[in-house]
Amino acid sequence: MSTDLRPMPDGRACIHGTAVAYRESGLLILGPSGSGKSSLAAQIVTLGGALVSDDLVVLSTDGGRLVAAPPDGRVPCLELRGLFPVTPQLVSQIALKAVLRIAPSAARMPPEERFAALGLTVPLWRHPALPDLGAKVILALESDVA
């Protein structure tokens, strides 16, 4: 299990991050506070995606898939740092296709990494917060590679 995860009594886990959906693919975005998680989520939402949860994400399993959802009883909103929170298009839960950690990547074409949680793994991507990251992520989510 990732060291970022906090186990919950019901077998789920929560993590500090942002989850978005693009078509049928889910992405969990991780990184330190102020790293650009919400900004990337805003890009993906404006390009046709939807918000699952911002700041705190609950992970569970369903049929061999790792699923992201907002915390129970919480209506998700997206914090636009320096402006205000907004409630964009929402999805109540999504199976994760990958996890993106906002961080420098060691190589132009890095070796495959995996994110592990609740006994399952999904691809782990690393990329710095750059202006084109939203477009890159959407292309990656639409690809058959991950």
Side-chain angles (χ1 to χ4, degrees), residues 45-124:
V45 166
T46 60
L47 293 169
L51 178 68
V52 176
S53 188
D54 188 32
D55 194 43
L56 189 62
V57 178
V58 175
L59 299 176
S60 62
T61 61
D62 182 22
R65 302 176 309 162
L66 191 59
V67 175
D72 294 339
R74 184 171 169 187
V75 176
C77 67
L78 187 58
E79 180 186 315
L80 303 178
R81 189 178 289 253
L83 296 175
F84 42 80
V86 297
T87 304
Q89 176 72 32
L90 299 173
V91 170
S92 63
Q93 67 176 25
I94 190 75
L96 294 177
K97 183 171 184 175
V99 172
L100 172 75
R101 185 171 297 277
I102 297 180
S105 179
R108 183 174 177 184
M109 300 303 288
E112 181 180 319
E113 292 183 79
R114 306 288 294 178
F115 174 86
L118 305 175
L120 299 172
T121 67
V122 294
L124 172 65

Side-chain angles (χ1 to χ4, degrees), residues 105-145:
S105 179
R108 183 174 177 184
M109 300 303 288
E112 181 180 319
E113 292 183 79
R114 306 288 294 178
F115 174 86
L118 305 175
L120 299 172
T121 67
V122 294
L124 172 65
W125 305 332
R126 294 178 190 271
H127 200 286
L130 297 174
D132 63 349
L133 186 53
K136 285 181 176 180
V137 164
I138 287 173
L139 288 172
L141 289 173
E142 290 183 325
S143 77
D144 292 331
V145 176

